[in-house]
Amino acid sequence: MDSSGVSPGLLHIKLLTLVLMLGFSLLCGFSPVCVTRRATRFSSDPGSRQRVLSLASCLACGVFLASCLLELLPDFLNHMRDTFSRLHITLRFPLSEFLLAMGFLLVFVLEQMLLAFREQTCEASLEKQALMDCEDRDAVHRSRTVEDGRSHLGLRVFLLLFCVCVRAFLEGLSLGSRRERLLEECVTLLLYKGLLAFSLAVRLSHLALRRTLLSGALLLFSVACPGGIGMGMGMGLDGTETGAQLLRCAVEGLTAGIFLNVSLLGSLRQESGSPGHRIHKVAFLLTGFALVTAVLFCKV
């Protein structure tokens, strides 16, 4: 064993997991992007591409929903209970639920602040619009509606990317300091992150992000978990520091609330609200939910 008390075998497994995690996440993330762009070149029907992206986006919504309800929320509640039990503190206030609510409401507050800012910037042009004819006013109104929709879209894309990257980094940090059941945890996490990378790529492709933004988002997510593994190995964390545990619980609670809002009121509502192929969308959403359930079942 080395000076940090980690056997060479465990160290090699962690290093191998770090490399595989990075490569597999990049592969799963950029594969649907490349396939989609290649299919667009050779397809003469743009409507078929939108239908495929819509169904694949429903699959991604199921993955995100299951990740939040079956993985992120239970882990957060368990960490809260274990942390305060270790400190011999009995909570009489629903702190876990409060953190979830704060994360959930944070999305609503940010959206309303963004809308209020846009309304203030548009008030100066009201007098100018009053001098226009009806067709010009209708064109300006449609332009403002599209801009408001893009503002909502940009905020939710940023929050979705923030949640999955923070969660991936925290999981990598835990894996980097783990010394028990390492191989099983590495395999499960590898499959889970590959599934999340695929879903994130599909979701961002459906939202028609620019190529540079899409590539940067996938690269950031792919680096988050290996970065957490490397930091956990380098710092030699044992996971018992009270301050670190309390900070992690707070971050996990806020992230879970944000993720719940984005996945339920954002992605899921958007896909279910669009007309056409509703039965197929439900089937793909349940498939995504079942895939995450199967991967998490491997932990048992």
Side-chain angles (χ1 to χ4, degrees), residues 194-236:
L195 187 59
L196 274 182
F198 176 84
S199 302
L200 182 63
V202 168
R203 184 62 187 160
L204 296 182
S205 298
H206 184 55
L207 297 176
L209 288 184
R210 288 183 295 183
R211 183 177 301 181
T212 53
L213 294 177
L214 178 59
S215 301
L218 294 177
L219 182 61
L220 182 62
F221 173 75
S222 300
V223 172
C225 189
I229 295 175
M231 183 173 292
M233 293 169 54
M235 298 176 63

Side-chain angles (χ1 to χ4, degrees), residues 132-204:
M132 299 179 181
D133 56 19
C134 294
E135 293 182 358
D136 292 336
R137 286 198 300 268
D138 292 340
V140 172
H141 178 71
R142 287 194 297 269
S143 177
R144 290 174 58 185
T145 302
V146 171
E147 289 178 357
D148 290 341
R150 289 177 179 175
S151 300
H152 278 281
L153 180 63
L155 177 62
R156 289 191 172 272
V157 166
F158 170 76
L159 292 176
L160 175 63
L161 182 62
F162 171 78
C163 290
V164 294
C165 287
V166 168
R167 181 58 183 169
F169 178 80
L170 291 177
E171 286 181 327
L173 196 64
S174 296
L175 185 62
S177 59
R178 182 183 291 270
R179 300 182 183 182
E180 298 177 352
R181 298 187 58 186
L182 184 60
L183 186 58
E184 296 85 347
E185 188 71 21
C186 290
V187 173
T188 303
L189 189 60
L190 186 66
L191 295 175
Y192 179 57
K193 292 308 170 187
L195 187 59
L196 274 182
F198 176 84
S199 302
L200 182 63
V202 168
R203 184 62 187 160
L204 296 182

Side-chain angles (χ1 to χ4, degrees), residues 67-139:
S67 300
C68 183
L69 296 179
L70 302 182
E71 201 262 345
L72 184 55
L73 281 177
D75 280 358
F76 161 64
L77 295 176
N78 288 333
H79 288 159
M80 286 286 293
R81 181 173 59 252
D82 294 342
T83 300
F84 284 94
S85 175
R86 191 181 301 115
L87 295 175
H88 304 287
I89 297 177
T90 302
L91 290 175
R92 301 187 182 276
F93 177 79
L95 182 60
S96 303
E97 291 77 6
F98 176 78
L99 291 173
L100 289 173
M102 288 299 100
F104 192 91
L105 292 175
L106 180 62
V107 182
F108 174 76
V109 172
L110 290 177
E111 285 183 341
Q112 295 304 310
M113 291 177 62
L114 183 61
L115 288 175
F117 175 76
R118 292 198 58 83
E119 290 174 356
Q120 290 179 358
T121 57
C122 293
E123 287 179 357
S125 61
L126 291 178
E127 294 182 359
K128 181 179 179 180
Q129 294 181 27
L131 300 177
M132 299 179 181
D133 56 19
C134 294
E135 293 182 358
D136 292 336
R137 286 198 300 268
D138 292 340

Side-chain angles (χ1 to χ4, degrees), residues 47-69:
S48 61
R49 175 179 179 270
Q50 287 300 118
R51 287 193 294 271
V52 172
L53 280 179
S54 180
L55 293 177
S57 183
C58 289
L59 178 71
C61 290
V63 170
F64 292 142
L65 186 61
S67 300
C68 183
L69 296 179

